[in-house]
Amino acid sequence: NLFTKVYFPRILIPSSSIVLGFVDFLITFALLLLIMIPYHFVPSINMVFLPFFFILTFFTSFGVGILMSTLNLKYRDFRYIVPFIVQFGMYISPVAFSSSVIPEKYQLLYSLNPLVGIIDGFRWCIIGGDVPLNIQSLAISVLVTTFFSFLGIQYFRKTEKMLADYA
């Protein structure tokens, strides 16, 4: 009843978990910077581009998160698919390996995962010269992120009035 009687931006509810994840990320990143000191590791000058990749990560998780949470509310069985999608996404994202190990003929298909360009960008910002930045995968990541953000917000706005009934 509170959601239907008082107006506030309802999109804040699903996006609050993203903000919590961002705080966790900032704490972990601060620990990484502290660990770099005893190892005498100096980050590259590419660190100035790090805020761009923060913003891109935010909008990727925001778009996909809004879409998934709205689908989860509307279709209750969707919650069983989400852990599978997240686990599958972890295996196809270049977290533990470099995306350069993917054969050249599959690079375009592999770059459709928006996290490929983002993770490679973070790696390029922090490690620097040894890790090249693939502009093609970064551009595809920006396009896919824009698509999912637009789709998630549009679907949320379309079903926003009915979500209080499903909750």
Side-chain angles (χ1 to χ4, degrees):
N1 269 346
L2 184 63
F3 291 117
T4 57
K5 300 220 188 294
V6 176
Y7 176 75
F8 67 96
R10 291 179 183 94
I11 205 160
L12 291 177
I13 295 171
S15 62
S16 64
S17 63
I18 298 169
V19 173
L20 290 175
F22 183 68
V23 170
D24 184 44
F25 177 80
L26 287 177
I27 293 169
T28 306
F29 187 71
L31 288 174
L32 173 68
L33 292 177
L34 286 174
I35 290 173
M36 287 180 176
I37 293 170
Y39 287 101
H40 305 289
F41 182 82
V42 179
S44 73
I45 191 68
N46 300 340
M47 287 282 277
V48 297
F49 296 105
L50 207 58
F52 169 73
F53 292 105
F54 282 142
I55 292 168
L56 195 58
T57 304
F58 172 79
F59 280 111
T60 302
S61 59
F62 180 72
V64 173
I66 292 291
L67 185 64
M68 295 284 185
S69 64
T70 306
L71 286 171
N72 188 26
L73 271 175
K74 192 168 183 181
Y75 306 107
R76 294 293 182 172
D77 290 338
F78 195 76
R79 68 182 172 139
Y80 298 112
I81 299 170
V82 172
F84 173 74
I85 293 171
V86 169
Q87 187 173 14
F88 183 70
M90 286 293 292
Y91 285 120
I92 63 170
S93 297
V95 176
F97 58 91
S98 174
S99 62
S100 61
V101 300
I102 304 298
E104 187 66 35
K105 63 182 180 179
Y106 298 119
Q107 281 288 332
L108 183 64
L109 179 66
Y110 185 64
S111 294
L112 290 177
N113 178 359
L115 293 178
V116 170
I118 295 170
I119 293 172
D120 284 346
F122 274 113
R123 195 173 280 138
W124 174 76
C125 283
I126 295 171
I127 296 175
D130 294 342
V131 179
L133 180 63
N134 188 346
I135 300 296
Q136 178 185 6
S137 68
L138 180 61
I140 292 172
S141 291
V142 169
L143 289 174
V144 172
T145 295
T146 305
F147 171 75
F148 275 117
S149 295
F150 181 75
L151 182 69
I153 290 171
Q154 290 293 26
Y155 188 67
F156 183 84
R157 291 287 180 212
K158 181 181 169 188
T159 60
E160 181 178 18
K161 302 282 187 219
M162 298 179 295
L163 290 180
D165 297 334
Y166 293 118

